[in-house]
Amino acid sequence: MMRVVHKVWLDRGGKAFGDGPCDLLKGIEQTGSLHQAAADMGMSYSKAWRLIQTMEKRLGFALIERRIGGVSGGGSQTTSKAKTFMRRYEKFRAEVKDLTERTYQKHFGSVRLNH
Amino acid sequence: MMRVVHKVWLDRGGKAFGDGPCDLLKGIEQTGSLHQAAADMGMSYSKAWRLIQTMEKRLGFALIERRIGGVSGGGSQTTSKAKTFMRRYEKFRAEVKDLTERTYQKHFGSVRLNH
């Protein structure tokens, strides 16, 4: 069975956003913690932190903000700008994935290969 | 300036076809020589040969055939199946590229970033 594979990301003077960063931010939204989100992805805290820093620099806006104190002892949360950007990226991503698959089917759906 | 980057390839038990292989085959079509086509891409002959072998195995059909003797002393040429597959891939590739760019513009064309 032949299939199409595709990768897509946003570039702004280097890789600025993509599936991995989006997943990390979603983890932060869900857990309220960069530590936890990184651990859930099998990523070291320092690597996750550097990734966020690099994306923020390239995109030009803050992606996460610290929550100080409180019952949970603080943590991180995505900024409102990050949330808007993530939702936009997720729609874009789903649409590109769907169009790539449809275009593949259009051109290669009828191709029969041996063995 | 933010932009979208994307990569796409065909998989069949591993990478079976993509932009690099297609460029190599186009070079063979134009030069009639795997040696020359590989050199023009800055690729070693052995690497180009292994690439063709791997693709042929995964796709299940021959991509190039030897031309024995003649005025030019032989060489390689793409098979008719390869030509059909290449033209199909090129149309698919151009369409995916165009759709990805359009989808990016649709979702991110109006986004204004700082600095």
Side-chain angles (χ1 to χ4, degrees):
Chain A
M1 187 67 182
M2 192 163 71
R3 68 191 177 100
V4 63
V5 183
H6 74 127
K7 294 193 174 182
V8 64
W9 64 90
L10 306 181
D11 180 285
R12 195 172 188 235
K15 190 169 177 173
F17 207 77
D19 292 0
C22 196
D23 286 347
L24 179 62
L25 291 174
K26 279 164 82 174
I28 296 168
E29 275 189 339
Q30 284 156 17
T31 64
S33 160
L34 175 57
H35 265 104
Q36 190 59 51
D40 290 348
M41 289 177 71
M43 191 186 284
S44 71
Y45 176 77
S46 63
K47 187 177 175 181
W49 174 248
R50 283 197 306 274
L51 182 61
I52 300 274
Q53 295 286 104
T54 301
M55 288 189 298
E56 288 184 335
K57 194 176 165 191
R58 290 185 178 150
L59 292 173
F61 61 88
L63 290 167
I64 63 173
E65 56 200 354
R66 298 301 185 87
R67 291 182 315 187
I68 312 288
V71 175
S72 63
S76 297
Q77 199 43 271
T78 51
T79 62
S80 108
K81 268 195 144 179
K83 286 179 195 298
T84 303
F85 198 86
M86 288 162 70
R87 299 296 94 80
R88 195 183 286 274
Y89 179 81
E90 286 171 333
K91 280 184 203 159
F92 158 74
R93 189 70 187 82
E95 206 169 312
V96 166
K97 190 181 170 70
D98 182 60
L99 287 169
T100 300
E101 188 56 47
R102 281 167 189 260
T103 307
Y104 171 75
Q105 287 302 333
K106 173 181 161 186
H107 291 280
F108 288 98
S110 65
V111 172
R112 294 288 164 265
L113 298 171
N114 295 324
H115 74 73
Chain B
M1 186 68 182
M2 191 162 73
R3 68 191 177 100
V4 62
V5 183
H6 74 126
K7 294 193 175 184
V8 64
W9 65 90
L10 306 181
D11 180 284
R12 195 171 187 236
K15 190 170 177 172
F17 207 77
D19 292 0
C22 197
D23 286 346
L24 179 61
L25 291 174
K26 279 164 81 174
I28 295 168
E29 276 189 339
Q30 284 156 19
T31 64
S33 160
L34 175 57
H35 265 104
Q36 189 59 50
D40 290 349
M41 289 178 71
M43 190 185 285
S44 72
Y45 176 76
S46 63
K47 188 176 174 182
W49 175 248
R50 284 196 305 274
L51 182 61
I52 300 274
Q53 296 286 104
T54 302
M55 288 189 298
E56 286 184 339
K57 193 176 168 192
R58 290 186 179 149
L59 291 173
F61 61 88
L63 291 167
I64 64 173
E65 55 200 357
R66 298 302 183 88
R67 291 183 315 188
I68 312 286
V71 176
S72 63
S76 297
Q77 198 45 268
T78 51
T79 62
S80 107
K81 268 196 145 179
K83 286 179 195 297
T84 303
F85 197 87
M86 288 163 69
R87 300 295 93 82
R88 196 182 286 273
Y89 179 80
E90 285 171 334
K91 278 184 203 158
F92 159 74
R93 187 71 188 83
E95 206 169 312
V96 166
K97 190 180 170 70
D98 182 60
L99 288 170
T100 300
E101 187 57 45
R102 281 167 190 262
T103 307
Y104 171 75
Q105 287 302 332
K106 174 181 161 186
H107 291 280
F108 288 98
S110 65
V111 171
R112 294 289 164 264
L113 297 171
N114 295 325
H115 73 71

